[in-house]
Amino acid sequence: MISLGNFFFRYRNGLFPLAIVLLLIPSRNVFSDWRIAALVGVALVLIGQIIRAITVGLDYIVRGGRNGQVYAEGLVTGGMFQHCRNPLYVGNYLGILGAVVASNSLIAITVGGVFFLIAYIAITLAEENYLRGKFGSDYDSYCDRVPRFTLQLGGIRATLKAARFNWQRLLVKEYGTMFVSLAGIPLILLLTRHYRYAIPMWADGWDSTLLVSIAVLLAGYLLARWLKKSGRITE
């Protein structure tokens, strides 16, 4: 499982987008109304993004590894990492799950949900193996105190009050992820409506709403990118 996790970690940016093809495979619907699937999917994505935003805003952990391999300079145990060892992966998984639920495709939800669950568990085990080897008993003690994926709610209010929320870091580090996650939902809904349900374009007001939402999110992404690249905001 650790070897599989290292593989997923190294190639995750190339492998994970391939799951989008699951949305295009003919499949049974899970919900009778596509709008119910959309609401559930949006709720999951928003919850995932809120978890990620709070995590990055309170205490940042270097992501991406080094040379395609798991890497860490220090053991991060502050902020949300006091309550969950992998809050970013929990947020990621909820966002992905929300996207496949929004598609209302039984194949996408079951295959995609299971695939990404296995992928994130494997990546987590690979990271744990690395961290245990580097930090030894300190990491073991941390694991004894903090659950792997579930959120330990005890003391979370004190954590939120004690830490200074870094909005600049959140914007600098997360604007790309937030755009992909949030804009992915209206894009998936457009594909679902016209590909899976064969609803004619502009048959109602939904197409306009979805396209406008993508345009607004794109404008926000470009603004955040300009602010970062121009140096007007820094971490």
Side-chain angles (χ1 to χ4, degrees):
M1 199 68 166
I2 291 174
S3 298
L4 181 63
N6 286 320
F7 173 81
F8 279 132
F9 187 90
R10 184 177 183 87
Y11 297 106
R12 64 194 185 282
N13 292 334
L15 287 175
F16 286 8
L18 294 178
I20 295 175
V21 302
L22 294 173
L23 306 177
L24 304 178
I25 299 175
S27 172
R28 289 177 52 191
N29 297 327
V30 176
F31 299 93
S32 58
D33 191 330
W34 69 270
R35 285 164 291 197
I36 297 176
L39 288 173
V40 175
V42 168
L44 289 171
V45 170
L46 289 177
I47 293 171
Q49 285 305 301
I50 289 171
I51 292 174
R52 286 186 59 88
I54 295 174
T55 301
V56 174
L58 293 182
D59 201 349
Y60 184 67
I61 185 170
V62 177
R63 294 166 291 169
R66 176 177 288 182
N67 299 322
Q69 297 180 342
V70 177
Y71 177 79
E73 294 182 354
L75 184 60
V76 179
T77 60
M80 286 296 289
F81 295 98
Q82 298 179 67
H83 306 277
C84 176
R85 302 206 305 265
N86 299 282
L88 293 175
Y89 286 159
V90 172
N92 285 353
Y93 183 73
L94 289 175
I96 293 170
L97 188 61
V100 294
V101 167
S103 73
N104 202 20
S105 164
L106 179 61
I107 289 178
I109 293 172
T110 54
V111 177
V114 171
F115 170 79
F116 284 108
L117 180 61
I118 293 173
Y120 277 118
I121 289 175
I123 289 173
T124 298
L125 292 177
E127 290 184 344
E128 288 180 352
N129 182 65
Y130 171 85
L131 294 172
R132 184 166 285 109
K134 183 168 184 176
F135 300 108
S137 59
D138 288 341
Y139 183 69
D140 287 331
S141 177
Y142 172 60
C143 291
D144 290 339
R145 299 192 312 269
V146 182
R148 178 182 284 141
F149 293 121
T150 57
L151 184 62
Q152 190 170 263
L153 296 178
I156 195 168
R157 182 176 296 181
T159 298
L160 296 176
K161 286 184 177 181
R164 182 181 69 86
F165 194 87
N166 192 328
W167 290 98
Q168 291 87 352
R169 179 171 62 214
L170 174 62
L171 192 59
V172 168
K173 298 296 186 181
E174 282 290 287
Y175 73 93
T177 300
M178 293 178 68
F179 170 72
V180 171
S181 298
L182 297 178
I185 289 294
L187 180 59
I188 288 171
L189 292 179
L190 283 171
L191 290 173
T192 299
R193 279 168 49 81
H194 302 302
Y195 180 79
R196 286 177 45 77
Y197 288 93
I199 298 175
M201 197 72 174
W202 315 115
D204 48 38
W206 278 100
D207 288 327
S208 298
T209 301
L210 295 172
L211 289 171
V212 167
S213 66
I214 293 174
V216 171
L217 290 167
L218 178 60
Y221 167 81
L222 293 174
L223 176 61
R225 181 177 175 82
W226 174 73
L227 290 172
K228 175 185 176 180
K229 296 298 182 181
S230 64
R232 285 171 170 78
I233 58 168
T234 61
E235 180 183 345

